[in-house]
Amino acid sequence: MANLYELTDQFKEAEYLYNTAESHEEMLEAEKYLINAEVDLTDKAENIAKWIKNLEAERDVFKKESDRLAAKAKTFDNKVTSLKRYLQDNLEVAGVDKVKGELFTVSLQNNALSLDVSNAEHIPMEFKRTPEPVVNKRELLKYIKETGEIFDGVEVRQTRSVRIR
């Protein structure tokens, strides 16, 4: 069986023969060529579509397994957090900052300073940042569709893609 690009060339050639045919026999010959090219292209496209569906199914299996493993990892993260909190609570209750064992030394230490700002009203502007404005693309596209007005720096484009149903 020919490659997809070879079949595409055959299809174009058949289309050219059909469009340039001058006699009834030439039209029949071009039509026969076109039909054969279409069948091959259809078979090839269908086989590629099957391959794509198989790859998508495999991807889904790996995605599910990835999600399952991520959930399992999250469980271990939660256990580690819980055990650290338990250890810290017990060291604080005992009033001990450092415990030396054979393999590990466990100690409590202060973390870096952090801030909780509940009301930014009284903080000087030099300590505040203004975020960059964000374009609402959905609303802008709706406006352009309705009015036809396109602004400088905006390009409306439409792409194409293969859909397999």
Side-chain angles (χ1 to χ4, degrees):
M1 185 174 261
N3 291 326
L4 185 59
Y5 69 89
E6 292 171 342
L7 292 173
T8 303
D9 289 343
Q10 288 176 5
F11 189 79
K12 286 180 182 176
E13 177 66 23
E15 201 171 56
Y16 173 77
L17 290 173
Y18 191 82
N19 291 335
T20 59
E22 293 180 1
S23 69
H24 184 66
E25 283 92 316
E26 287 177 347
M27 280 187 76
L28 289 176
E29 199 60 36
E31 196 170 313
K32 185 176 175 186
Y33 191 85
L34 184 63
I35 289 170
N36 289 337
E38 281 186 70
V39 169
D40 287 345
L41 181 61
T42 302
D43 289 345
K44 190 66 157 188
E46 182 136 350
N47 286 333
I48 290 172
K50 288 176 187 175
W51 188 14
I52 289 169
K53 289 297 184 184
N54 282 337
L55 291 173
E56 289 173 342
E58 280 189 61
R59 176 208 54 211
D60 292 345
V61 167
F62 285 118
K63 176 80 172 97
K64 264 187 185 173
E65 183 65 7
S66 171
D67 292 346
R68 185 186 72 79
L69 290 173
K72 194 167 185 121
K74 181 67 177 167
T75 300
F76 280 93
D77 285 343
N78 291 340
K79 287 179 182 180
V80 166
T81 301
S82 176
L83 286 170
K84 282 183 176 181
R85 186 175 39 246
Y86 172 76
L87 184 57
Q88 181 177 347
D89 289 347
N90 280 286
L91 289 173
E92 287 174 347
V93 167
V96 176
D97 285 344
K98 191 174 200 177
V99 175
K100 284 190 172 202
E102 282 185 42
L103 297 176
F104 302 102
T105 299
V106 178
S107 61
L108 293 177
Q109 67 182 43
N110 293 330
N111 295 326
L113 293 174
S114 64
L115 292 175
D116 288 327
V117 178
S118 60
N119 184 357
E121 185 178 308
H122 302 291
I123 297 174
M125 282 303 292
E126 66 186 270
F127 300 110
K128 296 179 184 178
R129 281 191 233 149
T130 305
E132 292 292 318
V134 178
V135 176
N136 185 335
K137 290 181 180 180
R138 184 170 291 168
E139 287 294 319
L140 179 58
L141 184 58
K142 182 181 174 186
Y143 176 81
I144 291 171
K145 283 180 182 178
E146 290 172 358
T147 65
E149 181 182 0
I150 299 178
F151 304 100
D152 288 339
V154 175
E155 178 185 338
V156 178
R157 61 184 160 84
Q158 184 170 30
T159 59
R160 295 171 54 118
S161 63
V162 173
R163 294 225 171 85
I164 300 171
R165 295 183 216 162

